[in-house]
Amino acid sequence: KAYATTGKNAWRGPYLPSVPADPWGNAYLVNVGKGDPAAATKKAVWVISAGSNGVVETLADANRSGMVTAAGDDIIARIQ
């Protein structure tokens, strides 16, 4: 079921005012499309840091089985 966008039950936050960079100054990669609440099949949502070398080496769509292994020096976290 999708989140209500209007009315009494509409989502009102909390929202992040800004998203900080990872410890090496790079943007995080998030596969947010996989967490669509209206999707027929739910898939894991991952946040990935490219690590100190700045190269994303983890396959972001590798979560078909629900398991992802960080590659190279990437740091990953499952949030759903």
Side-chain angles (χ1 to χ4, degrees):
K1 181 178 176 185
Y3 294 108
T5 57
T6 60
K8 181 176 126 182
N9 296 322
W11 176 254
R12 292 183 177 81
Y15 298 99
L16 293 173
S18 64
V19 177
D22 72 8
W24 299 276
N26 300 311
Y28 288 100
L29 171 69
V30 181
N31 64 337
V32 294
K34 302 297 179 190
D36 181 359
T41 57
K42 306 289 187 270
K43 294 185 179 176
V45 175
W46 296 90
V47 176
I48 302 172
S49 164
S52 61
N53 71 0
V55 177
V56 176
E57 298 164 292
T58 300
L59 297 176
D61 198 31
N63 62 345
R64 292 185 186 127
S65 67
M67 298 300 295
V68 171
T69 302
D73 67 346
D74 293 359
I75 300 168
I76 64 173
R78 182 177 175 160
I79 58 172
Q80 176 183 323

